Amino acid sequence: MSALVEELRKERERFVAFAFAAAEIFFEIDAGGTILFEGGAVEKIGAGQASGSHVGSTIYDIIEEDDRDVFSALKLHLEHKGRLGPIPIRFKGHGGQNFALRLFGLHMPGENSRTFLALRSAPLGGGVGEQSIDQETGLLTKDGFLDLAATTMAENSAGNNLYMTAVEVDGLEEAQKKFGPKFAKNLLGRMAAQLKTISVDGQMAGQIGDKHFAFLHRSQSDGKYIGESLKNVDDNVELKTAVSTMSADNEMTEDQILRTLSYVLSKFCEDSASVDFDQLTAAYDGMAGEVKERVTSMRSMIESGSFKMAFQPVVSLKTGDIHHNEVLSRFDGKMDQKTPRDVIGFAEDVGMIEEFDIALCNKAIDYVRKMKKLGESLTLAVNLSGRTLESGRFIDEFVSLLSGAKDISRHLLLELTETKAIKNMEKAEAILSDLKSIGYRVCLDDFGTGASGYHYLRTFNVDLVKIDGAYVRDMNTPGYKPTFLLSIVRLCRDLGIKTIGEHVETRFQADFLKSLGVDYGQGFHYGKPEFSPKLNK
Ligand code: G
Ligand code: G
Ligand code: MN
């Protein structure tokens, strides 16, 4: 026996063993699609064979009509690639129902060529929303593709090859003119099936323009192969294709990948001829490089603590006394070109906000202690990103930092921002409630915006609520009625929560807030953020 045949036989045995262990249904078919052998829960599929057996009939009979093109493409690609999957394919069930199965295929070449199919019902990951998929082609929309590609690339572990190929197809319009819209639709469907089948998980393919497509794949040569294969999708149609493949393994966050990909793809759509493999990869790497540089300077900024605290007073509307100062971070050096909001936003995007929050808390704790030694009683509010509470890696460090600073806990307010980043609300609440039990107080930032609403108020047992500045700005519009503001204030009063109005810029706004029963005010009317805190006389 030749080494190749021997290897194939082993491969077959491995595959069969794997298929029976992991698959629920198993088929062996010949080159024409006739079922030669079946195993597993085969009675689940097919419409009404009395015997329940499919042996002797063709596999196409039990595949949902809409997915037959995908299956044809699968068979075609299998001959080239040897094995493929998982790819979602819908099979016919009993009583007109159909259901999606994940299909893995293995092709054994040779005179008596055979194809093995293993089917599993486990759903594909990724959670592609219906609205991200074009119903006619089954391809992802541009945004759907970008989103899912970014997630897939961010989760791709190092060492797993991952490539993205962009494809331009010329001649579709001519085909439509010559053969009509129905034909063109069918042609597009067959092309879509090819792209889907070769893509990662059978679903990482999208249409990003009238004649532009993109897909993620695992072997570099898939790009060129698809380019050739699409040219010949129909004998009567003359198509030209241009492909460009780039390597996609890179350590970037999802958000950065998303931006980079959308830039790279829009360049390709503008002028595919000017973009080749090297240029695409270089454009991508260039952006990745910029991100790396920013991450490096962010890390050294955090480690050296080379950022500053600005302080803005929060004042009692009744007495005019200063209740506390909010700490607003200020950056210099390399970070200086960006606004503080950009720097914080970047830290959130690249997953460094947790480290930053810890560094800032350290600074704030030191500052309060220093002032205490000088005989000044100072209370600070630090912004705390919801991501920090969510982080498995940093939460212990954060909690032990605060536990070790019990001496000043009455002088540190945790101002919770970016609450929409919190997925596990119960866990976050448990952490906050532990911190409250040793004296820290919690303030919910940006209340009344999409980022923070009643939902959070119900879960988090907070001491203060900061009403979003937009509500205060609204007071200046003629005919303003404080309906929402009043309902927030009443609710908070009933719950025993103090309220802060921010962005108070005028005496009028301050008085209005006071008349509504808001407790504290913050804004340019009382003072801008400055490098030394305002203290009560
Ligand atoms: O004062 P300024 O315009 O720079 O603040 C912009 C925004 O940046 C604020 O709304 C605040 O939420 C955020 N911010 C400023 N400093 C910090 C900080 O130290 N930590 C966090 N998480 N956010 C901050
Ligand atoms: O949401 P947070 O409290 O973290 O927001 C603080 C932000 O609001 C900072 O960017 C700060 O510079 C800004 N800010 C503070 N006071 C005022 C004000 O009176 N008017 C406006 N427009 N912005 C303010
Ligand atoms: Mn804030």
Side-chain angles (χ1 to χ4, degrees), residues 280-336:
L280 262 192
T281 305
Y284 188 80
D285 286 350
M287 293 213 165
E290 194 191 307
V291 172
K292 278 210 182 105
E293 210 169 284
R294 285 186 75 180
V295 166
T296 308
S297 44
M298 166 94 42
R299 171 135 299 127
S300 80
M301 184 266 294
I302 292 172
E303 277 167 8
S304 63
S306 60
F307 54 92
K308 292 204 180 79
M309 295 191 291
F311 306 92
Q312 189 178 31
V314 175
V315 172
S316 161
L317 291 169
K318 247 190 229 143
T319 65
D321 286 345
I322 291 162
H323 182 262
H324 68 272
N325 281 262
E326 179 180 8
V327 177
L328 294 158
S329 300
R330 295 291 178 256
F331 307 95
D332 45 22
K334 269 199 185 147
M335 304 279 178
D336 202 23

Side-chain angles (χ1 to χ4, degrees), residues 312 326 328 330 341 383 415 417 445-446 466 468 473 502-505 522-525 527-529:
Q312 189 178 31
E326 179 180 8
L328 294 158
R330 295 291 178 256
R341 194 178 287 278
N383 288 287
E415 194 163 313
T417 65
D445 206 353
D446 307 315
K466 186 179 273 183
D468 190 73
R473 211 170 313 129
E502 67 172 356
H503 296 187
V504 180
E505 294 182 356
Q522 174 183 8
F524 299 158
H525 176 62
K528 298 202 161 176

